Amino acid sequence: MRILIKGAGVAGLTAAHELLARGGDITVLDPRSDTSATASWYAGGMLAPYCERESADEQVLELGLKAACWWEAALPGSVVRNGTLVLAPARDIRELDRFGSRTSGFSHVDAQELANLEPDLEGRFRRGLFFKEEAHLDPRRALTMLAEKLAASGVRFVSGEGDGTFDVIVDCTGYGAANPDLRGVRGEMLVLQTRDVSLARPVRLIHPRFPVYIVPRAHHIFMVGATMIESDATGPITARSMMELLNAAYSLHPAFGEAAILETGVGVRPAYADNFPRVQREGKVISINGLYRHGFLLAPTMAIQAAAMVFKYEKAA
Ligand SMILES: Cc1cc2nc3c(=O)[nH]c(=O)nc-3n(C[C@H](O)[C@H](O)[C@H](O)COP(=O)(O)OP(=O)(O)OC[C@H]3O[C@@H](n4cnc5c(N)ncnc54)[C@H](O)[C@@H]3O)c2cc1C
């Protein structure tokens, strides 16, 4: 079956992987000349279904629990399974308890346990929540590895209209989709580098306005994210957001004050009203969209659902 996938973000590439595994003849079309329109490029890469449950439905937890295994099976060595730490400054310690009351899958850690987990944070926080089963990956590395794996297996990547006709089109164009039910949720992030701090896992800091987190990557690089603004504006990060993200990093460890700012970035998360993604079919077009803040967490499940729908459609046709 000839399948055209529109969009090479996390939705498109995971769909390509699942459709290829079922014998599809796949072309991926993405006209982008840079990454600025691709939310996936700016993601933190947290695979944190328990933490996300704080503000998401139970379904996000249930489906998200499968994500780390999917990524590890697709891209061996891409997933770090060191859990997540959730911390709060002394003044917001009650908020830590509130976070705990809305989630599961964690243990309470005291200052000593915290120092054992993250030696560089010794003496800085009195207690925290440790979500041992959670994981993370480097989204840019994962997307690049996945595209290379697909290309090596015969998937064609094109930037102009695909050649010829297709039996099925899978629309994975994120916020670029002409879908009035979607809204954009702007996410601003920073990339910092310092040799003076080491972290083994993502650390979330309770923040009054949006969930702030710091995700360690290779080469002493840290992604600091992310704002949640009801807007599809793609303009540069604002001074206020930059200050808030930097403040969070600095309050986690003052050595971040001397870090190099390698990059600032803005991605627009595609979201439906209930913040839950959908796989939908209209004629020969199947769409995967609305991944909101759960692209890496939920795209594998959505891709499997879409692949099942594509081949069911073939049988019926
Ligand atoms: C700052 C930030 C942090 C995040 N952190 C996390 C995280 O830690 N964990 C997590 O799971 N999720 C996270 N997310 C959410 C995640 O990034 C998104 O849910 C996900 O990237 C959406 O993927 P997508 O493939 O649907 O869209 P996109 O990544 O936006 O990809 C859409 C693609 O379609 C292409 N396109 C557009 N129009 C067309 C067209 N007409 N034809 C063909 N192609 C087209 C675009 O060029 C683009 O490449 C974060 C998001 C942001 C912004």
Side-chain angles (χ1 to χ4, degrees):
M1 180 170 12
R2 300 198 69 210
I3 302 166
L4 178 68
I5 297 177
K6 290 185 174 181
V10 71
L13 295 183
T14 52
H17 192 276
E18 289 305 314
L19 289 161
L20 183 71
R22 289 160 180 75
D25 174 7
I26 318 274
T27 299
V28 176
L29 164 69
D30 197 315
R32 70 165 190 240
S33 50
D34 61 40
T35 51
S36 58
T38 302
S40 307
W41 198 247
Y42 299 101
M46 292 177 300
L47 304 175
Y50 292 105
C51 283
E52 287 301 312
R53 181 71 178 89
E54 190 247 344
S55 58
D57 285 350
E58 181 70 15
Q59 252 184 309
V60 171
L61 170 59
E62 280 167 21
L63 301 179
L65 284 171
K66 302 171 185 170
C69 289
W70 188 93
W71 284 105
E72 188 55 32
L75 304 173
S78 65
V79 176
V80 183
R81 291 174 179 269
N82 284 348
T84 305
L85 263 178
V86 179
L87 303 173
R91 65 167 194 271
D92 294 331
I93 208 76
R94 279 206 190 141
E95 288 300 305
L96 192 68
D97 296 329
R98 196 195 64 83
F99 192 100
S101 72
R102 295 178 60 87
T103 53
S104 61
F106 64 86
S107 53
H108 290 275
V109 287
D110 61 19
Q112 186 53 55
E113 290 163 316
L114 191 52
N116 294 342
L117 288 166
E118 296 290 358
D120 279 7
L121 299 183
E122 181 166 8
R124 300 201 52 74
F125 296 88
R126 267 182 268 156
R127 60 189 180 92
L129 308 177
F130 180 41
F131 294 79
K132 191 179 171 197
E133 301 300 324
E134 294 193 336
H136 70 284
L137 48 68
D138 178 336
R140 296 178 180 186
R141 185 164 165 262
L143 293 172
T144 306
M145 284 169 72
L146 196 49
E148 285 171 0
K149 178 180 174 184
L150 293 167
S153 308
V155 171
R156 286 172 296 280
F157 284 83
V158 297
S159 55
E161 270 310 312
D163 58 333
T165 52
F166 294 90
D167 303 304
V168 173
I169 294 168
V170 184
D171 186 324
C172 301
T173 52
Y175 193 65
N179 182 342
D181 294 335
L182 281 175
R183 73 184 202 285
V185 182
R186 175 177 158 99
E188 298 155 299
M189 51 81 87
L190 306 171
V191 181
L192 305 181
Q193 187 174 36
T194 175
R195 292 188 168 272
D196 297 333
V197 187
S198 292
L199 296 175
R201 55 188 58 77
V203 178
R204 292 183 179 227
L205 269 179
I206 304 286
H207 184 282
R209 286 211 319 131
F210 51 83
V212 184
Y213 50 83
I214 300 185
V215 188
R217 294 187 180 160
H219 311 298
H220 305 279
I221 289 174
F222 300 85
M223 183 276 195
V224 185
T227 58
M228 299 275 294
I229 299 171
E230 290 290 329
S231 161
D232 59 4
T234 54
I237 188 170
T238 61
R240 176 186 177 145
S241 297
M242 180 119 151
M243 281 190 288
E244 288 187 340
L245 294 175
L246 286 174
N247 265 335
Y250 186 72
S251 69
L252 185 69
H253 199 298
F256 279 114
E258 301 302 320
I261 301 177
L262 298 188
E263 182 186 329
T264 64
V266 175
V268 176
R269 307 172 183 91
Y272 289 111
D274 60 0
N275 296 332
F276 194 75
R278 314 247 190 292
V279 179
Q280 290 168 318
R281 183 164 84 81
E282 210 178 310
K284 70 174 194 174
V285 179
I286 286 171
S287 68
I288 306 174
N289 217 323
L291 284 160
Y292 183 50
R293 45 182 283 133
H294 305 129
F296 287 79
L297 191 64
L298 298 184
T301 299
M302 296 299 128
I304 291 166
Q305 284 182 16
M309 206 182 263
V310 166
F311 286 95
K312 197 168 147 197
Y313 169 76
E314 183 197 30
K315 273 189 202 150

